Amino acid sequence: MGIVVAIDGPSGSGKSTVSKQVASRLGLAYLDTGAMYRAAAWWCEHEGVDLEDSEAVTHAVETMPLTMGVNPEAPGVVCGGEDIASAIRDPHIAAIVSKVATNLDVRAELARLQREIIHSEAAGLPRAFSAGAGVVAEGRDITTVIAPDADVRLLITASEEARLARRAADLEAAGKHIDAAALRDQVVRRDQDDSTVSQFLTAPEGVTLVDTSDMDLPETVEYVIALIESELDQAAERDRQDLLRAEALREGLADYELEEEDLALLDGQDIPATDSGLEAGLPVLAVIGRPNVGKSTLVNRVLGRRAAVVQDTPGVTRDRVSYPAEWAGRRFTIVDTGGWEVDVAGLDAAVATQAEIAVNMSDAVMLVVDAQVGITETDARIVQMLRKSGKPVVLAANKVDSPAQEGDAAALWNLGLGEPYPVSALHGRGSGDVLDAAMAILPEVSAVAGPVRDDDLHRIALVGRPNVGKSSLLNSIARAARVVVNEVAGTTRDPVDEVLELDGRRWVFVDTAGIRRRVKQARGADYYAVLRTQGAIEKAEVAVILLDASEPITEQDVRVIQQAVDAGRALVLVNNKWDLVDEERQRALRGELERDLVQIQWAPRINLAARTGWHTNRIVRALDTALEGWQTRIPTGHLNAFLGQLVAAHPHPLRGGKQPRILFGTQASSKPPRFVLFTTGFLDPGYRRFIERRLREAFGFAGTPIRISVRVRERRRR
């Protein structure tokens, strides 16, 4: 983790100028939290919001399209695509900013954004300006509320005369008119207003006071840098002492009976994390046909496993679903589609549209026809559509289960697509011949698929009960109708993978079937859909759990969340359909989240409306936070120093007259974080939960479950 420097102080104390120069000198990012409040005031005026209407102001700030620059050389503030860095310095904005800054809901919203930016820079998340070196953040509440655990916390102050002189100099340099009385009123009154909701006039415990009244700018910068370097030296010494203490504790374990597995764990052998995913960039073969001709059965035959949901009723498959396949040494992507029908509406029309999209996005097509039924009007219309597409086609005459039925297949020559290949998808008869024909028309290099995707693409599973908006969210993120969306609950049945680009990075999003009941209680297609959803969760890195914010949290929601936690996935909680939530429902939802989901208070939360796209831009930052927590590893020295302090302050209760001791702790693995504690006795579940809570307070672990295992070991007999 990079260094975090938090600097607070009254108006005109010079904290902004000092912070920028310190950040530039040390190669750190710079965050001006005060500019965020001024930007909020500017946005409210720009949108015509009455500043006396606190609810309207809060809503405006929550929807404000703000981008904060963190380059200390040119910070920049962009709102709604407009650079407002100069506009927010206008005296008028300074005069009205307190009306926004004293709104507690606004402060909470901006505090959330500030913490996200600070964490991103300190953790070195993708696209962080400092690449993990750290950040200098300055502004109100920064040392106490926003970053109370910052490495260095400073309160920069100066006398009133010095602050007024500095503010006047800033205005003069900007070419603005200086009114001494108005300037005094602005500086003093703003401090008085802000102090009603924030403490920044006196240094609280742990915050170093820096009085700059008698120091010029270069002297102040050098003094602050010296304080930071001193703190870094002290931190390095603490790390060294922690490491030495951990080594001593490790040596002390030699007095206890250890197993081979214990020794391997202590030697640092990590538990490997599994990763899997679909390959892109391979030739694409789309399998199409009217409903119930056996497309999914044939796909499963090609794959050699029951991957696609199959049931003896038409219309089971609805989305286009891609699978990696191989035949005769050639790898390709096979796409299963829903049944194509003529002149249909609603859900069936959406399914047919997805099948047509699959044709357009393929290199070749396998048309499946029911040989027992023969050529239908729908089959003829499909042929017309295929001819318009210009794609090469191989014709599979399915349900030819014996040589006696091959005459039925011969009748399909009349479709004009060349030789029909008799196939029994159910029994495998003739599948090799039709695949050979498909390989003959597939190109070596795909003309539609992108390059082979990187191994480091993160897999994100969209999970929730039926009709909470998973498919709508995927379409909103993709900015296209990628999957079928319908008001009928349970529309999605097969997990659908989609490689999307967000904020300049590529992700794999997986739309899953809604989990409406326990697996053992599900039937037919729903049963297999639930199984595939479980598999999608286990293959993913992050499970994005969607809730319908307009309805009360149900037992199904809790069960879905627990399923993701049990799988050890990182977690992001999304309250969807926020456009349907009124103020009363918001209050009720907060209570439900605290009561029913108390076990996942550590998960990042987003309120959004997938249908309109509102707040979907917040997903990437939440995903980064969850992934960073999921991958976090604590050095053994830090962990054992933490455990030592924890046990000293809060020892385990006596059990049977004896008190279990923690001998040594190590992090066995990440993804999710798993800790192993060597103890002299069993630790109560309540004490384990206490350790987990303190681990989160000390090291973060936002968005990830934590596993704590206890190994009770006895002293060697002498």
Side-chain angles (χ1 to χ4, degrees):
M1 294 287 288
I3 187 172
V4 176
V5 180
I7 300 179
D8 204 343
S11 301
S13 60
K15 61 181 182 295
S16 298
T17 306
V18 172
S19 297
K20 280 190 286 188
Q21 293 204 15
V22 168
S24 182
R25 287 270 299 273
L26 299 179
L28 306 177
Y30 163 72
L31 176 61
D32 182 0
T33 62
M36 299 176 73
Y37 286 100
R38 291 190 292 273
W42 179 90
W43 177 251
C44 288
E45 285 229 320
H46 180 269
E47 294 296 295
V49 176
D50 183 4
L51 297 182
E52 302 298 333
D53 188 344
S54 60
E55 292 186 5
V57 170
T58 300
H59 179 72
V61 174
E62 287 180 344
T63 57
M64 173 176 59
L66 177 66
T67 302
M68 292 296 300
V70 292
N71 182 350
E73 301 294 336
V77 182
V78 178
C79 194
E82 180 179 350
D83 188 348
I84 60 172
S86 298
I88 62 176
R89 295 290 178 183
D90 189 271
H92 172 67
I93 299 297
I96 65 172
V97 69
S98 291
K99 295 182 179 180
V100 176
T102 53
N103 185 317
L104 296 182
D105 291 333
V106 168
R107 298 187 75 84
E109 173 65 15
L110 293 184
R112 182 189 63 80
L113 294 175
Q114 292 159 18
R115 293 190 188 99
E116 287 183 352
I117 296 172
I118 292 171
H119 176 74
S120 174
E121 293 296 333
L125 297 184
R127 306 186 71 169
F129 169 80
S130 68
V135 60
V136 178
E138 57 95 356
R140 296 285 186 265
D141 292 336
I142 200 72
T143 60
T144 53
V145 178
I146 309 302
D149 55 349
D151 301 287
V152 182
R153 296 187 294 159
L154 305 176
L155 176 64
I156 295 181
T157 187
S159 64
E160 185 176 304
E161 291 75 14
R163 292 191 288 123
L164 288 172
R166 292 168 183 174
R167 182 54 57 88
D170 291 340
L171 292 174
E172 186 177 0
K176 300 186 182 295
H177 175 70
I178 303 172
D179 187 326
L183 181 62
R184 176 177 294 274
D185 176 72
Q186 180 191 119
V187 172
V188 175
R189 181 179 51 79
R190 184 184 173 190
D191 287 343
Q192 291 174 346
D193 290 342
D194 290 354
S195 64
T196 61
V197 293
S198 176
Q199 176 57 264
F200 59 90
L201 298 177
T202 57
E205 183 179 357
V207 177
T208 303
L209 179 66
V210 180
D211 191 337
T212 65
S213 302
D214 299 324
M215 289 190 284
D216 58 18
L217 178 59
E219 291 173 337
T220 304
V221 171
E222 292 297 333
Y223 184 77
V224 170
I225 289 177
L227 289 175
I228 295 173
E229 291 176 343
S230 175
E231 181 57 38
L232 290 176
D233 291 341
Q234 294 177 30
E237 177 61 23
R238 288 194 296 270
D239 291 345
R240 191 181 71 83
Q241 293 296 331
D242 290 344
L243 181 59
L244 293 175
R245 189 181 299 107
E247 291 175 351
L249 292 172
R250 169 67 179 86
E251 292 175 0
L253 286 178
D255 297 334
Y256 292 82
E257 295 182 354
L258 301 179
E259 301 175 357
E260 291 186 5
E261 186 180 353
D262 298 337
L263 296 173
L265 179 65
L266 293 169
D267 288 339
Q269 295 185 15
D270 203 348
I271 300 176
T274 59
D275 188 19
S276 61
L278 300 177
E279 291 188 74
L282 302 175
V284 180
L285 177 67
V287 180
I288 72 164
R290 58 185 180 82
N292 211 34
V293 295
K295 298 182 295 298
S296 297
T297 305
L298 183 57
V299 168
N300 286 339
R301 176 62 59 184
V302 172
L303 298 175
R305 66 184 192 280
R306 191 161 177 158
V309 176
V310 174
Q311 191 177 1
D312 194 19
T313 51
V316 172
T317 304
R318 290 167 177 171
D319 298 295
R320 63 183 195 274
V321 188
S322 302
Y323 304 97
E326 184 175 351
W327 179 254
R330 287 187 63 186
R331 294 189 303 158
F332 62 100
T333 299
I334 191 167
V335 182
D336 189 19
T337 65
W340 195 92
E341 293 187 88
V342 182
D343 299 330
V344 289
L347 177 59
D348 293 332
V351 173
T353 300
Q354 290 298 317
E356 293 178 16
I357 294 173
V359 171
N360 293 329
M361 297 181 65
S362 67
D363 295 294
V365 176
M366 180 181 292
L367 173 61
V368 183
V369 180
D370 189 336
Q372 296 182 3
V373 175
I375 300 174
T376 67
E377 181 184 355
T378 301
D379 293 324
R381 295 282 291 273
I382 293 176
V383 171
Q384 292 178 12
M385 183 265 291
L386 291 176
R387 284 174 175 160
K388 289 180 181 178
S389 72
K391 304 288 183 179
V393 181
V394 61
L395 180 59
N398 194 27
K399 303 185 182 182
V400 181
D401 300 329
S402 68
Q405 296 173 305
E406 291 188 0
D408 298 334
L412 300 181
W413 277 95
N414 293 327
L415 284 172
L417 295 176
E419 180 181 358
Y421 291 87
V423 176
S424 175
L426 186 62
H427 304 295
R429 184 176 184 271
S431 59
D433 293 336
V434 75
L435 281 173
D436 287 340
M439 294 301 103
I441 62 174
L442 274 178
E444 292 292 334
V445 179
S446 175
V448 294
V452 177
R453 85 180 188 209
D454 301 328
D455 293 335
D456 61 351
L457 288 189
H458 298 297
R459 290 181 66 85
I460 315 299
L462 304 177
V463 188
R465 59 185 173 88
N467 214 30
V468 295
K470 301 180 294 295
S471 299
S472 296
L473 180 58
L474 179 60
N475 287 341
S476 180
I477 297 172
R479 296 182 175 86
R482 175 59 184 88
V483 290
V484 175
V485 175
N486 195 272
E487 63 272 9
V488 176
T491 300
T492 303
R493 282 175 175 159
D494 295 277
V496 179
D497 287 27
E498 181 74 359
V499 181
L500 304 177
E501 184 169 319
L502 298 176
D503 287 1
R505 296 153 56 199
R506 298 169 75 225
W507 308 74
V508 181
F509 280 84
V510 186
D511 184 23
T512 66
I515 302 175
R516 60 160 52 97
R517 61 185 72 185
R518 300 180 187 275
V519 177
K520 295 180 180 179
Q521 297 174 349
R523 299 189 178 192
D526 290 337
Y527 172 78
Y528 295 105
V530 170
L531 289 181
R532 281 155 179 77
T533 296
Q534 289 180 339
I537 293 174
E538 292 172 358
K539 291 179 181 179
E541 295 170 275
V542 184
V544 176
I545 308 295
L546 279 85
L547 305 176
D548 187 341
S550 64
E551 299 179 357
I553 294 175
T554 66
E555 182 186 352
Q556 295 168 257
D557 294 318
V558 178
R559 189 183 304 125
V560 170
I561 291 170
Q562 192 58 49
Q563 187 175 344
V565 172
D566 292 343
R569 303 302 95 181
L571 210 64
V572 173
L573 193 64
V574 171
N575 295 314
N576 192 25
K577 305 186 182 182
W578 202 255
D579 51 332
L580 306 178
V581 177
D582 56 21
E583 187 176 347
E584 182 178 351
R585 176 59 193 149
Q586 290 182 25
R587 289 195 296 269
L589 180 61
R590 284 194 289 268
E592 292 169 8
L593 292 171
E594 293 176 1
R595 182 183 65 252
D596 300 333
L597 302 183
V598 65
Q599 75 275 22
I600 58 162
Q601 294 297 314
W602 38 263
R605 297 178 186 175
I606 307 173
N607 303 326
L608 57 80
R611 183 175 60 86
T612 63
W614 183 74
H615 273 185
T616 54
N617 60 326
R618 295 183 174 181
I619 289 178
V620 171
R621 187 164 286 174
L623 292 175
D624 281 334
T625 299
L627 283 168
E628 195 267 334
W630 195 59
Q631 299 168 357
T632 294
R633 178 176 288 278
I634 304 174
T636 304
H638 289 185
L639 177 61
N640 283 277
F642 161 81
L643 291 172
Q645 295 172 4
L646 183 66
V647 172
H650 304 278
H652 192 286
L654 292 174
R655 297 183 74 252
K658 296 183 178 179
Q659 189 175 55
R661 290 191 301 115
I662 298 177
L663 302 171
F664 187 76
T666 184
Q667 185 172 350
S669 63
S670 56
K671 304 180 181 181
R674 175 175 169 246
F675 297 91
V676 177
L677 305 181
F678 293 87
T679 68
T680 59
F682 180 78
L683 299 184
D684 291 338
Y687 197 75
R688 296 192 198 189
R689 290 192 295 271
F690 169 70
I691 294 176
E692 178 184 341
R693 186 171 70 252
R694 288 302 182 88
L695 277 170
R696 294 189 184 279
E697 293 174 356
F699 302 105
F701 292 112
T704 180
I706 293 177
R707 306 277 191 261
I708 298 179
S709 302
V710 175
R711 298 187 182 184
V712 180
R713 296 294 181 259
E714 298 180 351
R715 281 188 177 274
R716 298 182 184 274
R717 295 182 179 179
R718 299 187 178 183

